[in-house]
Amino acid sequence: MSDVPFGFGIPDRDPDRRGDGDQPGSTGGGGNPADPFGLGALGLGGLGAGGGPEDLLGKMPLFAELQKLMSWQGGPVNWDLARQGAISQLAPGHQPTSGAEQTAVADALRLADLWLDQATEFPSGVERTAAWSRVDWLEQTLPAWGGLIDPLAERVVAAMTSALPQEAASMMGPLAGIMGQLGGMMFGSQVGQALGRLADEVVTSTDVGLPLGPTGVAALVPQNVTAFGQGLDRPEDEVRLFLALREAAHQRLFAHVPWLRQQLLDAVHAYARGIHVDREAIERGMAEAMGSTDGGGIDPSDPESIQRLLSSGMLEPEETPQQQMALRRLETLLALVEGWVDHIVAAAATDRLPGLSALAETMRRRRASGGPAEQTFATLVGLELRPRRLRDASTVWGAMAQQHGTAARDQLWSHPDLLPTSDDLDEPLDFVARQGRSDEMAELESMGDDTQSDGPAGDGTSGTDDGPAPDGDNRG
């Protein structure tokens, strides 16, 4: 995992892994120990750092910006700060989409939908096509990220605040009332950095396995599509069509499996509900901090000391069994979604797209090395998608289509209880074999019903002479 969720964890002290993260201007995982919230990028990192009144006086014009940030009332994540931080990362390399790119994306998505018609029972889910710039992707997906991240952040802030010892809370005085704003700034800074990095890589609106864009809008990010195809020695229109197939397949699934979107959100929210902070660990850490004489104590007048508390690791959420179950469920659902898309795209394009093998292998390597989905969920909810799960999910969908047909394969999406579980993915072919036995049992039951209905009318039997005696027969 590249980052601990929301930065609540012990900092990585391995200099080889920190690397460029300690360099000025870097947004790597190491970060700046003196500026854990990334406030230096806003000109606010020096508050409380210099220690002298003249330092604060020299920064007086920035207090207006600080007041604006601290007045955020929109929820546990300061999304204004997140948006500003992400856009500032994207600005140097931003390329708006051209009319030619809009046309090329629309054509690719229309052709992809035609090919997919022959590979799945689900009809098209594309109502509108779009070519997004990286900033467009950020703007269009922010509402969905809010629904995913806000419940988790709210739970962490509440647990963090409630776990502070009473003595520390009273000692902080007025600062205790702005813990929510500090948390919102911290989350906003981290989420902004994560989404800025993500926008540099995503190629479609569903690249992380979730429906992040507006309903019915199939979108590609041409600048990132070009980057995806570099070094593959394949025509750009072929790369674009491959990614359009993946986007259109995702759109079909989310459009015609109405419960799927909510199930994914519920799994993330279930993780948030399981957040638990070890009160005793915090009390010990606070006592040690307040008793220290090396400048590492908690000074209520020094915001930097509060930052040190939040980033020290003593507020690391403790993963509970409930959270482990929620993460396992989310991992399985995402693997099933991606495995279905892999299988559908292969079925639609194997005889039509010459570079399919190379493109699919590039996508597999991207996942194995930690693509956008893995990195984002590792950072935001502590989840790493394992490529093994994706392969097993693809095996289920392929074997279902081969042994039982495409209709039976897609019918598994009709109810969440019909889908394979994480345990089923351990033995995917056994799961597929059981589906065949279930079909046979259903057919036998149907035949039995037909036999009973063929018995003589009104005799109360199934057509045989040796049935049980009626209840009123008192044979000795």
Side-chain angles (χ1 to χ4, degrees), residues 87-292:
I87 290 179
S88 68
Q89 281 184 242
L90 297 173
H94 174 64
Q95 294 179 9
T97 56
S98 65
E101 287 173 330
Q102 294 278 356
T103 300
V105 167
D107 290 345
L109 285 166
R110 280 195 292 267
L111 181 56
D113 250 347
L114 287 175
W115 288 7
L116 290 172
D117 283 340
Q118 302 173 34
T120 175
E121 300 291 315
F122 295 137
S124 173
V126 178
E127 300 174 6
R128 183 165 59 89
T129 64
W132 289 343
S133 68
R134 290 170 174 172
V135 173
D136 290 336
W137 177 88
L138 176 71
E139 300 277 15
Q140 294 290 335
T141 62
L142 271 179
W145 287 115
L148 281 168
I149 297 171
D150 273 346
L152 179 61
E154 184 175 10
R155 187 73 175 183
V156 171
V157 170
M160 176 182 70
T161 305
S162 65
L164 288 175
Q166 184 176 358
E167 299 82 2
S170 60
M171 177 182 173
M172 287 183 178
L175 284 182
I178 63 172
M179 288 295 287
Q181 283 83 358
L182 286 173
M185 291 171 62
M186 178 182 65
F187 294 145
S189 175
Q190 289 194 310
V191 170
Q193 291 181 21
L195 296 184
R197 291 194 298 267
L198 191 59
D200 278 334
E201 301 179 41
V202 291
V203 290
T204 69
S205 74
T206 54
D207 203 11
V208 299
L210 295 171
L212 297 174
T215 302
V217 177
L220 270 63
V221 183
Q223 185 176 359
N224 295 345
V225 170
T226 299
F228 179 89
Q230 288 178 349
L232 295 180
D233 195 26
R234 304 304 310 173
E236 186 169 352
D237 59 347
E238 191 174 286
V239 176
R240 185 188 304 112
L241 181 53
F242 169 74
L243 297 174
L245 282 163
R246 293 186 54 80
E247 172 73 348
H250 276 105
Q251 293 292 337
R252 287 185 183 229
L253 189 60
F254 285 113
H256 301 291
V257 183
W259 54 263
L260 182 56
R261 181 191 300 258
Q262 192 59 48
Q263 287 275 321
L264 288 165
L265 290 175
D266 287 347
V268 177
H269 297 168
Y271 176 88
R273 288 193 299 271
I275 289 287
H276 170 75
V277 178
D278 189 340
R279 175 185 287 271
E280 293 183 359
I282 292 181
E283 290 177 346
R284 289 194 302 270
M286 288 289 293
E288 293 172 3
M290 289 187 290
S292 67

Side-chain angles (χ1 to χ4, degrees), residues 6 10 26 70 92 111 148 183 196 203 208 217 221 228 242 267 269 309 316 345 347 367-368 391 413 428 435 450 460:
F6 288 116
I10 299 174
S26 170
M70 293 298 292
L111 181 56
L148 281 168
V203 290
V208 299
V217 177
V221 183
F228 179 89
F242 169 74
H269 297 168
L309 167 67
E316 179 180 2
V345 169
R367 289 169 179 153
R391 288 195 298 269
W413 289 107
Q435 305 312 300
D450 292 341

